[in-house]
Amino acid sequence: MRHIPRKRFGQNFLIDPYIIAKIVAEISPQKDDRVIEIGPGLGALTKPLLQQLDHLAVIEIDRDIVAQLKILFSPDKLTIYATDALKFDFSSLGNQLRIVGNLPYNISTPLLFHLSQYSENILDMHFMLQKEVVQRLTAKPGISDYGRLSVMMQYHFNMTHAFNVLPQSFSPAPKVDSAIIEMIPRPQKNKSAHDEALLSQIVLAAFSQRRKTLRNTLQQYLTADDFNRIGIDSKVRAENLSVENFVAITNLCHSK
């Protein structure tokens, strides 16, 4: 495949055979798995995945790439959804989905939030992301990388930073390091927030002014007595709270 990378789609194509093989080994596809690749690009992962799968579905927004994929691969083996992954209804593909991809870095965060809505349909996900984003996703409370993205994604997924990828593995080479992350949905029984929309609102408010204490950022949600009831110090900042702390705040607010 030949294609001029388009900045508006955030295209950096993976070209390193060693890294490609390492990613496929990390995914460990079985022939009857229901795998969906987001952003197949020039087919760096598509071809080796199809060597191990009976069928693969891909989501691609670039019409030129879609046209080339249709030429290169049989529709019996490859189903192409020529659309924007940010607008795609992943539940339409069923359950036990294995989602993979070298995600465009300019949409990775909103795409992860979009995918979190379908966690019950997903078996696992393996993505290439900017290394900084992977560090934020897997960050623990008390460090600067820990924020809204960390809390909300850790509520929905168990995540593992698998390995790093250097810029020279791509064409064109990005200006940042990359990393592979594995994301496995947490069982629904372990997600104990009574109102997940409220959880999202509270986390957003808490991190909206990172240098301010919870007493200031969550004053519209909690009184001094409320903080005492759930055993959280109102003088700390959002980055000091665990996911479970945010769930406790949400459930208290939901019950009021």
Side-chain angles (χ1 to χ4, degrees):
M1 292 178 64
R2 294 186 178 184
H3 181 76
I4 298 175
R6 293 177 174 169
K7 287 185 178 180
R8 68 190 178 102
F9 292 144
Q11 292 175 337
N12 298 91
F13 299 121
L14 187 61
I15 58 171
D16 186 331
Y18 170 74
I19 294 298
I20 292 167
K22 194 172 181 180
I23 293 170
V24 173
E26 187 74 26
I27 297 169
S28 186
Q30 306 302 305
K31 66 176 185 175
D32 56 352
D33 284 347
R34 189 170 293 171
V35 179
I36 300 94
E37 182 184 6
I38 297 175
L42 302 185
L45 288 176
T46 309
K47 186 175 180 180
L49 285 172
L50 278 173
Q51 291 172 348
Q52 300 188 39
L53 294 168
D54 288 338
H55 185 268
L56 174 66
V58 299
I59 301 171
E60 177 58 60
I61 194 173
D62 190 317
R63 289 178 293 178
D64 291 342
I65 289 179
V66 168
Q68 293 193 61
L69 290 171
K70 287 180 177 179
I71 294 171
L72 288 173
F73 300 102
S74 165
D76 293 336
K77 292 283 289 183
L78 187 72
T79 297
I80 304 169
Y81 296 93
T83 187
D84 185 348
L86 284 168
K87 301 176 181 177
F88 190 76
D89 179 5
F90 286 87
S91 66
S92 66
L93 300 181
N95 296 313
Q96 297 294 294
L97 305 179
R98 305 196 68 197
I99 305 178
V100 304
N102 173 21
L103 299 188
Y105 295 166
N106 58 341
I107 65 162
S108 61
T109 296
L111 185 53
L112 290 173
F113 275 101
H114 179 64
L115 287 164
S116 70
Q117 302 175 54
Y118 304 99
S119 59
E120 292 185 42
N121 302 92
I122 295 170
L123 180 64
D124 61 18
M125 304 193 295
H126 293 81
F127 292 134
M128 177 90 72
L129 297 169
Q130 186 175 336
K131 181 182 175 182
E132 178 185 335
V133 173
V134 172
Q135 290 172 333
R136 289 165 56 201
L137 286 167
T138 57
K140 301 302 181 185
I143 66 174
S144 59
D145 284 334
Y146 185 75
R148 174 178 175 243
L149 182 65
S150 317
V151 174
M152 295 310 302
M153 290 301 109
Q154 289 175 26
Y155 176 78
H156 289 289
F157 301 98
N158 293 316
M159 294 176 286
T160 303
H161 182 160
F163 58 89
N164 297 329
V165 182
L166 296 176
Q168 54 263 38
S169 296
F170 301 87
S171 178
K175 296 180 180 180
V176 296
D177 287 347
S178 305
I180 295 294
I181 190 168
E182 178 188 59
M183 306 176 69
I184 299 176
R186 296 178 62 209
Q188 191 62 34
K189 64 181 180 180
N190 294 344
K191 295 160 63 176
S192 55
H194 298 159
D195 185 337
E196 292 184 4
L198 180 58
L199 171 65
S200 180
Q201 293 171 20
I202 288 172
V203 173
L204 178 60
F207 284 101
S208 62
Q209 300 178 78
R210 291 186 65 107
R211 296 186 62 81
K212 291 193 174 182
T213 64
L214 297 174
R215 180 170 53 189
N216 293 310
T217 58
L218 297 183
Q219 59 182 328
Q220 71 180 94
Y221 295 99
L222 298 175
T223 66
D225 287 340
D226 290 334
F227 279 109
N228 291 332
R229 284 177 61 189
I230 53 179
I232 293 176
D233 185 354
S234 66
K235 300 185 187 68
V236 302
R237 296 170 179 163
E239 66 189 44
N240 299 115
L241 296 191
S242 66
V243 175
E244 291 73 24
N245 290 149
F246 280 107
V247 170
I249 292 171
T250 300
N251 290 343
L252 175 61
C253 293
H254 180 75
S255 66
K256 290 168 70 173

